[in-house]
Structure formats: C-alpha cells, structure tokens
C-alpha cells in the first residue's frame, strides 16, 4: 500500500529541524537550513518573521548554488494534483540575473527539467515579503517527479525562505478499502 491521495510532500512545513524528507545539493559557501523567527541570516537582513513556525532558508557565505529537492510519486487516476508553496525573496545584489536568481523546477529523477515553474526575472522587486505560489501538476500523473528549489548567488547575498510546500492529490472518486 502506498499513499495515493492527500498530501504527497514530506515535511513541507520544515518543522523538522533536520530538513527530513528533503535532499540538498550545495556548492560554494552556505546551504539550506531549517530556520526560526529569531534566526539572523547572513547579509544585511535582520531576523525575519516566519510564515508559520519553522521554514527553510537558503543562506550563503560567498558565491554558491544551493538546491533543495524531493522526489514525489504522483499517482495516476487523480482529478487534480496541485503544488503550493510560500516564498520570501531577499536579494541584496543590484539586480536579478542568471547568476543571481531563484527558480523552482520540476524534473524527472535523472534531473532533466520537465517544467520551469518559477524563475526570478530582471526588473522584479529585490526585496519581497511572503507570497503564495501555485502550479498544476496534473500533466505528470503516473510519474515520479523531482521538485527542486534552486538558489544561485554570485553577485551578492540572496536569502530565499520557503514554507508550506504542499502537493495535494485529489482522487477522481473516494478511496475505499475492504479488509478481510
């Protein structure tokens, strides 16, 4: 038996201070941490209020690339499957660029990009408070996908906060069991 409906992400609220359920890939100084309300990140930011409880924060100590990802099997036969997350972006460089960005990617398990879900763009505000994002994963039913949050900081401090990451699968009909 495996979960085929409801919440498919493990530890999407980042309440486990070990980032359980998530994998990290870091190059350069810094990485993803489970942060809390009085956490003081590198750079000019002071402690920032959490969205809810603990949250994931990408912090850096020099140039780097930091990924936080989770492989998620998406069952077939769903009526809907939706990705939701909250993000706060605090870019202390002069602007957004290919070497100073945050993006959300949907990949296969071999790391081939299936969809660019979110990418910071030139001209976008540099300092943002929490915003909610959503994306339809219906086309990937029956596949295992890798949800990846990617932060690249080569031009200055970039603090990315994530919380309430959720993939909710809704079955086309209620699931019932008969146990004998």
């Amino acid at each position: 038996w495996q979960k085929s409906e409801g919440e498919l992400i493990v530890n999407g609220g980042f309440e486990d201070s070990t980032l359980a359920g998530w994998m990290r890939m870091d190059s350069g100084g810094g990485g993803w941490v489970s942060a809390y309300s009085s956490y003081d990140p590198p750079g000019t930011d002071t402690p920032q209020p959490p969205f809810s409880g603990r949250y994931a924060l990408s912090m850096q100590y020099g140039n780097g690339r930091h990924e936080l990802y989770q492989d998620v099997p998406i069952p077939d036969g769903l009526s809907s499957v939706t990705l939701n997350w909250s993000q706060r972006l605090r870019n202390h460089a002069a602007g957004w660029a290919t070497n100073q960005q945050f993006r959300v990617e949907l990949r296969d398990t071999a790391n081939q990009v299936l969809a660019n879900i979110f990418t910071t763009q030139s001209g976008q505000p540099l300092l943002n408070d929490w915003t909610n994002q959503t994306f339809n994963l219906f086309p990937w039913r029956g596949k295992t996908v890798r949800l990846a949050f990617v932060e690249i900081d080569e031009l200055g401090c970039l603090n990315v906060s994530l919380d309430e990451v959720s993939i909710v699968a809704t079955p086309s009909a209620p699931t019932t069991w008969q146990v004998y």
Side-chain angles (χ1 to χ4, degrees):
W1 293 7
Q2 69 179 25
K3 193 171 192 167
S4 61
E5 61 186 66
E7 179 59 62
L8 302 179
I9 289 285
V10 175
N11 192 25
F14 302 103
E15 298 306 318
D16 184 323
S17 61
T18 65
L19 296 178
W22 295 91
M23 300 297 294
R24 295 174 29 181
M25 188 165 36
D26 296 307
S27 62
W32 290 94
V33 298
S34 177
Y36 46 92
S37 61
S38 60
Y39 189 85
D40 191 7
T44 59
D45 269 341
T46 57
Q48 299 290 308
F51 185 79
S52 171
R54 294 183 80 88
Y55 59 96
L57 172 69
S58 175
M59 58 175 198
Q60 56 282 149
Y61 300 103
N63 299 346
R65 176 187 173 108
H66 310 289
E67 296 185 20
L68 186 69
Y69 65 92
Q70 189 170 135
D71 291 346
V72 182
I74 299 179
D76 205 1
L78 301 171
S79 64
S80 71
V81 58
T82 306
L83 164 65
N84 296 291
W85 77 96
S86 296
Q87 66 187 30
R88 177 178 51 212
L89 308 177
R90 310 284 297 170
N91 184 1
H92 298 282
W96 297 105
T98 57
N99 60 348
Q100 183 80 8
Q101 72 175 198
F102 170 67
R103 62 181 185 262
V104 181
E105 298 175 341
L106 193 66
R107 304 173 180 169
D108 64 19
T109 55
N111 273 329
Q112 297 300 308
V113 176
L114 304 171
N116 286 307
I117 297 172
F118 177 90
T119 304
T120 51
Q121 302 292 322
S122 179
Q124 181 177 335
L126 300 176
L127 304 174
N128 295 292
D129 202 0
W130 288 104
T131 59
N132 298 321
Q133 308 292 325
T134 188
F135 186 78
N136 181 8
L137 296 176
F138 191 77
W140 291 278
R141 292 171 302 143
K143 298 184 178 356
T144 297
V145 296
R146 178 168 291 162
L147 174 61
F149 297 97
V150 182
E151 180 269 341
I152 301 169
D153 55 271
E154 293 182 10
L155 301 177
C157 188
L158 172 56
N159 294 322
V160 174
S161 302
L162 298 172
D163 205 356
E164 301 300 324
V165 179
S166 172
I167 296 178
V168 176
T170 306
S172 56
T175 302
T176 61
W177 291 270
Q178 293 182 347
V179 179
Y180 296 94

